[in-house]
């Protein structure tokens, strides 16, 4: 079903912002053209979750334009490969290419890889293949251009080949790839008569040429699944626990952890052997894996999967995880390892979308930056455009002055503007939208990790339900903290556990609390006996809590003591003074009655008198040996004994 996109919000291509209905008057002028272009040219297509790309486009042809397919594994790459026309598929992910070569040998795809020269490509272009289908990474795109130039076929290439840029978000998310922008560097992609870009996790590019393309947005009413967010200060500790308790997973586990070194470390720490670690087969990776290198694999193959399967970022896009509903997918990120903080709406979304069917469970094990709410995408992009524009203006003005005044440029300003600009053919610079978008994307992705709630909002903005689960209590900060401050932190964590007990399902908290109890017995007794309000009133001070505990304990014990004394002493009877003191001490010890400082309370007859239970009259009484000893006679009872009915 096709639905023209004349909605009065700008949600669809600003889908990851927290501000859904941004009024036009609040949008930075530099961005108005962006919203206007997308707003006016977007065509919305409603699909069911089980539909594929050819349901959206029954002619089985990828249209010219920008396709936001919303859902991974929809089949756009398959459609493009099988179309009966000349094509160039620029695919950032090598596994996608390798998978296509393996699955579609009958298509005779021509892969442009290491060792393939422009001359070899030129020969292929001159071959009698009915449909010439070239497949390349962005880094090798220029080999095709060089081959066409060699054959004097460049304009023929532009006119007759359909150019498809797959996983187009990678051009901004994979900024670590030095040559990934080669297709955009010379603007040659815009010379193709027919071309398209596609992604299930598109970025809102700032390049006017991209925004001028027809935009297609595929919509799904159903949720894609549920993300269980395990927000833990040490994500590796959670992963280690999961590896040591394989029984919690009914099927195989697929772990996307963007760190080769950490993957190897956690595998060795857990002592698991039913495991594969998938990463590029290169010396550095093998060295970083150390002893875990024996578990190294490069190509994911279903028949080789183990109970636990680790994947680096290289495998986040483009390949198919043919598993059943018992599979579990785990994404691991750590703000203390910045390279693992992949963009949730991009690389994160792609990773959890590898499975053909809804898996048993999807976990995002992570921590966060402990900051406030995230800035909107508009705020980040608008600020970046404003600053970049003015920095470049200043640079060009500086170059002009250098030329006018015959001074050499010291290069300091160009260092500032180089990350988001390029030369315009002279010494002046212009903004390079794709390079600038890499910086904007990095800033935007970092915002998602501000706190647990921003992580939750981000997943929900890309059509997932969410739930929180907790692994362990937040660690207590001890450095430069007083005992009172440490006590307060422990109590805060106990309260948090009491409120959210159902979220802790890994059994680790019990051990943590036991450790705190061994460390701070007075605090725990006060927490149980006195309660939170009283502990706060005592400023979490150990001495004050101990004194209050003793006072409370003595008050409770005194009531029992009175009953014991009433049973012990009878009206009109005489009792030797020394025996009375011994008996009172026996009761003190039994009831654990103590002084304010916690030491043993010492019994005296005077303290017995102070209880006011009896009127005591001094007298004498024979002991067992017949000797008269100082004694007391109970002459009056100062209480009323009620008989039970």
């Amino acid at each position: 079903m096709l639905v023209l996109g004349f909605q009065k919000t700008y949600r669809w291509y600003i889908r990851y912002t927290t501000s859904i209905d941004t009024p036009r008057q609040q949008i930075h002028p530099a961005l108005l053209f962006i919203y206007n272009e997308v707003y006016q040219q977007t065509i919305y297509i409603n699909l069911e979750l089980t539909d594929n790309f050819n349901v959206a486009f029954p002619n089985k042809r990828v249209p010219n334009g920008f396709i936001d397919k919303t859902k991974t594994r929809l089949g756009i790459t398959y459609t493009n490969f099988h179309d009966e026309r000349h094509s160039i598929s620029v695919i950032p992910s090598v596994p996608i290419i390798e998978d296509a070569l393996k699955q579609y040998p009958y298509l005779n795809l021509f892969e442009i890889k290491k060792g393939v020269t422009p001359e070899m490509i030129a020969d292929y272009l001159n071959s009698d293949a009915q449909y010439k289908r070239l497949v390349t990474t962005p880094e090798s795109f220029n080999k095709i251009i060089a081959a066409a130039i060699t054959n004097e076929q460049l304009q023929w290439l532009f006119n007759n080949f359909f150019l498809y840029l797959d996983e187009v978000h990678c051009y901004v998310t994979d900024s670590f790839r030095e040559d990934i922008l080669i297709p955009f560097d010379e603007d040659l992609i815009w010379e193709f008569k027919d071309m398209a870009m596609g992604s299930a996790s598109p970025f809102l590019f700032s390049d006017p040429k991209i925004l001028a393309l027809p935009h297609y947005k595929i919509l799904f009413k159903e949720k894609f699944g549920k993300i269980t967010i395990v927000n833990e200060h040490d994500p590796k500790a959670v992963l280690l626990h999961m590896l040591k308790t394989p029984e919690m997973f009914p099927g195989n586990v697929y772990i996307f952890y963007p760190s080769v070194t950490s993957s190897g470390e956690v595998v060795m720490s857990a002592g698991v052997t039913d495991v594969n670690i998938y990463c590029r087969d290169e010396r550095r990776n093998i060295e970083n894996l150390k002893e875990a290198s024996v578990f190294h694999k490069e190509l994911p193959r279903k028949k080789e999967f183990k109970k636990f399967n680790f994947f680096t970022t290289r495998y986040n896009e483009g390949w198919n995880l043919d598993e059943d509903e018992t599979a579990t997918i785990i994404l691991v990120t750590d703000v203390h390892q910045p390279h693992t903080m992949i963009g949730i709406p991009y690389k994160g979304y792609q990773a959890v979308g590898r499975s053909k069917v809804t898996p048993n469970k999807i976990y995002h094990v992570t921590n966060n930056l402990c900051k406030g709410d995230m800035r909107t995408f508009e705020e980040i992009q608008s600020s970046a455009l404003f600053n970049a524009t003015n920095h470049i203006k200043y640079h060009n003005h500086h170059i002009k002055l250098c030329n006018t005044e015959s001074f050499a440029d010291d290069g300091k300003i160009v260092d500032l503007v180089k990350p988001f600009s390029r030369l315009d053919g002279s010494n002046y610079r212009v903004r390079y939208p794709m390079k600038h978008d890499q910086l904007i994307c990095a800033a935007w992705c970092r915002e998602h990790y501000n706190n647990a709630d921003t992580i939750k909002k981000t997943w929900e903005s890309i059509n997932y339900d969410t739930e929180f689960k907790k692994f362990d209590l937040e660690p207590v900060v001890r450095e430069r903290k007083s005992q009172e401050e440490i006590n307060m932190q422990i109590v805060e964590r106990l309260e948090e556990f009491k409120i959210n007990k159902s979220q802790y399902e890994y059994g680790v908290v019990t051990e943590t609390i036991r450790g705190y109890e061994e460390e701070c017995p007075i605090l725990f007794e006060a927490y149980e006996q006195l309660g939170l309000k009283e502990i706060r009133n005592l400023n979490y001070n150990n001495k004050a809590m101990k004194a209050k505990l003793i006072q409370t304990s003595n008050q409770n014990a005194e009531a029992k003591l009175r009953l014991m004394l009433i049973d012990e002493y009878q009206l009109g009877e005489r009792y030797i003074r020394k025996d009375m003191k011994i008996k009172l001490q026996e009761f003190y010890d039994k009831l654990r009655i103590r002084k304010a400082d916690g030491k043993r309370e010492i019994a005296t007859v005077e303290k017995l008198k102070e209880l006011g239970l009896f009127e005591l009259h001094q007298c004498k009484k024979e002991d067992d040996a017949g000797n008269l000893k100082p004694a007391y006679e109970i002459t009056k009872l100062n209480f009323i004994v009620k008989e039970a009915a």
Side-chain angles (χ1 to χ4, degrees):
M1 177 181 177
L2 300 184
V3 185
L4 278 176
F6 296 125
Q7 299 189 25
K8 293 188 178 180
T9 68
Y10 304 91
R11 176 60 173 166
W12 294 115
Y13 272 84
I14 309 169
R15 55 187 275 192
Y16 308 123
T17 68
T18 55
S19 175
I20 294 177
D21 300 312
T22 304
R24 294 167 78 101
Q25 64 269 25
Q26 292 183 12
I27 300 174
H28 191 278
L31 292 175
L32 273 176
F33 72 92
I34 294 176
Y35 301 112
N36 287 337
E37 292 290 347
V38 174
Y39 172 70
Q40 292 171 6
Q41 300 189 52
T42 300
I43 295 173
Y44 301 101
I45 304 169
N46 294 309
L47 292 184
E48 301 294 328
L49 283 180
T50 54
D51 291 337
N52 59 31
F53 185 78
N54 290 338
V55 175
F57 298 93
N59 65 349
K60 298 182 180 180
R61 173 159 286 189
V62 178
N64 288 0
F66 191 105
I67 300 101
D68 175 1
K69 59 181 183 172
T70 302
K71 182 176 176 289
T72 60
R73 300 173 53 88
L74 198 63
I76 186 172
T77 311
Y78 173 91
T79 298
N80 182 54
F81 283 149
H82 286 77
D83 199 349
E84 295 180 346
R85 59 178 170 179
H86 300 320
S87 64
I88 300 172
S89 300
V90 185
I91 301 176
S93 175
V94 173
I96 300 179
I97 298 174
E98 293 169 341
D99 198 42
L101 292 170
K102 181 178 67 175
Q103 290 193 36
Y104 320 127
Y106 52 87
L107 292 178
N108 296 313
L109 300 173
F110 189 89
E111 180 189 9
I112 300 167
K113 58 183 178 180
K114 187 176 181 180
V116 174
T117 65
E119 291 73 24
M120 296 165 69
I121 301 170
D123 289 342
Y124 174 73
L125 292 176
N126 284 330
S127 72
D128 59 0
Q130 183 180 8
Y131 301 112
K132 298 176 176 65
R133 299 181 172 102
L134 297 108
V135 185
T136 181
T137 61
E139 288 84 351
S140 295
F141 177 76
N142 274 357
K143 290 183 181 181
I144 301 174
I145 302 301
I149 292 172
T150 298
N151 285 354
E152 297 183 352
Q153 293 176 312
L154 189 58
Q155 195 58 48
W156 170 78
L157 190 81
F158 292 151
N159 290 340
N160 293 281
F161 277 72
F162 176 74
L163 174 66
Y164 177 59
L165 303 180
D166 194 25
E167 307 292 0
V168 70
H169 61 277
C170 289
Y171 292 97
V172 292
T173 60
D174 290 12
S175 58
F176 58 89
R177 294 166 63 171
E178 187 176 347
D179 296 323
I180 195 170
L181 293 182
I182 280 178
F184 292 89
D185 281 344
E186 303 298 329
D187 287 333
L188 290 177
I189 63 170
W190 304 112
E191 299 297 328
F192 283 84
K193 177 184 172 184
D194 297 300
M195 67 91 68
M197 304 177 180
S199 174
S201 51
F203 180 80
L204 179 58
F205 295 96
S206 62
D207 189 333
K209 293 178 181 177
I210 296 179
L211 294 159
L213 294 171
H215 278 65
Y216 298 86
K217 167 71 179 176
I218 295 176
L219 306 175
F220 298 89
K221 291 182 180 179
E222 305 98 324
K223 296 291 185 180
F224 296 152
K226 179 185 282 187
I227 306 292
T228 298
I229 302 168
V230 184
N231 181 42
E232 164 64 24
H233 70 282
D234 184 3
K236 193 186 286 187
V238 181
L239 185 55
L240 181 63
H241 175 81
M242 289 176 165
L243 293 175
K244 289 183 174 181
T245 51
E247 62 274 11
M248 69 185 287
F249 306 110
N252 290 342
V253 184
Y254 301 89
I255 303 164
F256 293 86
Y257 195 179
S259 173
V260 173
T261 302
S262 295
S263 295
E265 289 173 349
V266 74
V267 164
M268 297 310 296
S269 296
V272 293
T273 55
D274 194 8
V275 61
N276 287 332
I277 302 176
Y278 292 91
C279 60
R280 189 187 296 275
D281 187 10
E282 54 188 29
R283 182 177 176 181
R284 191 175 113 186
N285 285 341
I286 302 304
E287 289 176 348
N288 287 339
L289 284 174
K290 299 178 181 177
E291 296 92 341
S293 62
V294 296
F295 304 116
H296 171 259
K297 294 280 185 181
E298 185 169 27
L299 297 178
R301 294 188 177 95
K302 183 176 182 179
K303 63 182 180 180
E304 295 179 352
F305 286 144
K306 300 292 183 68
K307 179 66 177 181
F308 295 105
N309 304 275
F310 283 76
F311 301 92
T312 58
T313 311
R314 182 174 189 248
Y315 302 90
N316 282 28
E317 287 113 352
W319 63 282
N320 297 328
L321 175 59
D322 298 323
E323 267 292 352
D324 58 26
E325 293 87 348
T326 65
T328 298
I329 294 176
I330 303 173
L331 172 65
V332 184
T333 55
D334 187 345
V335 299
H336 302 302
Q337 294 179 287
H339 63 284
T340 72
M341 290 172 62
I342 58 176
I344 294 171
Y346 309 114
K347 296 290 188 182
Y349 176 72
Q350 289 281 340
V352 303
R354 289 304 93 219
S355 180
K356 265 187 178 179
V357 298
T358 301
N360 165 61
K361 208 151 191 182
I362 305 173
Y363 290 96
H364 183 190
V365 179
T366 187
N367 47 20
N368 64 78
L369 296 168
C370 299
K371 292 184 177 181
D373 204 5
M374 59 184 173
R375 294 175 293 166
T376 65
F377 182 84
E378 297 99 312
E379 289 171 333
I380 294 169
Q381 190 181 56
S382 180
S383 174
L385 287 170
F386 173 82
N387 284 291
T389 301
N390 285 284
H391 289 326
I392 292 170
K393 281 182 181 178
Y394 183 78
H395 168 271
N396 292 341
H397 177 67
H398 171 72
I399 295 297
K400 185 176 181 180
L401 285 176
C402 288
N403 294 335
T404 302
E405 303 296 333
S406 300
F407 283 102
D409 173 30
D410 62 7
K412 292 182 179 178
I413 300 178
V414 75
D415 289 341
L416 171 66
V417 299
K418 203 171 184 179
F420 49 81
S421 67
R422 60 183 171 183
L423 292 171
D424 65 353
S426 64
N427 287 330
Y428 297 112
R429 303 191 76 86
V430 293
R431 191 178 77 90
Y432 187 180
M434 297 302 291
K435 286 184 73 174
H436 197 201
D437 284 345
Q438 289 179 344
L439 302 177
I440 294 169
C441 181
W444 174 228
C445 290
R446 188 173 176 81
E447 290 288 316
H448 302 146
Y449 292 91
N450 275 3
N451 56 60
D453 192 50
T454 58
I455 294 171
K456 177 177 184 290
K457 286 179 181 177
T458 304
W459 280 114
E460 291 174 350
S461 76
I462 48 179
N463 205 35
Y464 277 95
D465 287 325
T466 61
E467 66 175 352
F468 278 119
K469 291 295 178 183
K470 297 177 183 290
F471 178 70
D472 199 357
L473 301 175
E474 283 291 313
V476 172
V477 179
R478 300 174 186 278
E479 188 176 355
R480 297 181 182 178
K481 299 293 182 182
S482 66
Q483 187 59 53
E484 287 78 10
E485 290 171 319
I486 291 173
N487 286 347
M488 182 174 70
Q489 290 182 69
I490 292 174
V491 170
E492 287 172 350
R493 282 142 185 77
L494 293 175
E495 285 293 299
E496 203 282 332
F497 177 63
K498 184 190 296 183
I499 295 169
N500 299 306
K501 194 170 185 178
S502 63
Q503 292 186 11
Y504 293 88
E505 59 178 34
Y506 302 103
V508 178
V509 176
T510 304
E511 290 300 315
T512 300
I513 292 176
R514 186 177 292 119
Y516 288 153
E517 189 170 7
E518 291 175 358
E519 176 191 356
C520 307
I522 292 174
L523 174 65
F524 270 73
E525 189 175 354
Y527 183 70
E528 293 176 5
Q529 300 295 329
L530 305 180
L532 179 61
K533 184 177 180 180
E534 187 63 31
I535 289 176
R536 285 175 176 166
N537 291 338
L538 298 171
N539 296 318
Y540 302 94
N541 181 270
N542 280 347
K543 287 186 178 180
M545 288 188 291
K546 184 177 180 180
K548 186 66 177 179
L549 281 168
I550 291 169
Q551 179 186 351
T552 303
S553 175
N554 286 349
Q555 288 172 348
N556 295 334
E558 187 175 307
K560 295 178 182 178
L561 175 65
R562 289 172 179 272
L563 294 175
M564 294 167 75
L565 291 172
I566 289 170
D567 286 340
E568 183 70 24
Y569 298 111
Q570 304 297 318
L571 181 65
E573 294 292 332
R574 294 187 176 189
Y575 301 91
I576 295 174
R577 179 186 179 96
K578 182 179 179 181
D579 292 343
M580 295 177 75
K581 178 182 175 182
I582 291 172
K583 180 57 69 175
L584 183 59
Q585 188 68 57
E586 179 186 325
F587 290 165
Y588 276 177
D589 293 342
K590 186 174 183 178
L591 296 172
R592 300 186 64 188
I593 295 176
R594 296 164 290 171
K595 295 180 180 179
D597 61 3
K599 293 181 180 179
R600 185 185 187 214
E601 184 68 78
I602 304 302
T604 64
V605 176
E606 284 67 28
K607 291 177 181 177
L608 178 61
K609 290 180 181 179
E610 290 171 4
L611 291 172
L613 293 172
F614 314 105
E615 293 288 342
L616 302 179
H617 178 70
Q618 288 187 2
C619 61
K620 298 285 186 178
K621 182 183 178 182
E622 291 183 357
D623 62 12
D624 293 340
N627 301 317
L628 285 174
K629 298 291 183 180
Y632 286 98
E633 180 181 349
I634 307 297
T635 59
K636 183 180 178 183
L637 302 178
N638 294 330
F639 56 86
I640 299 174
V641 178
K642 293 184 177 180
E643 297 290 338

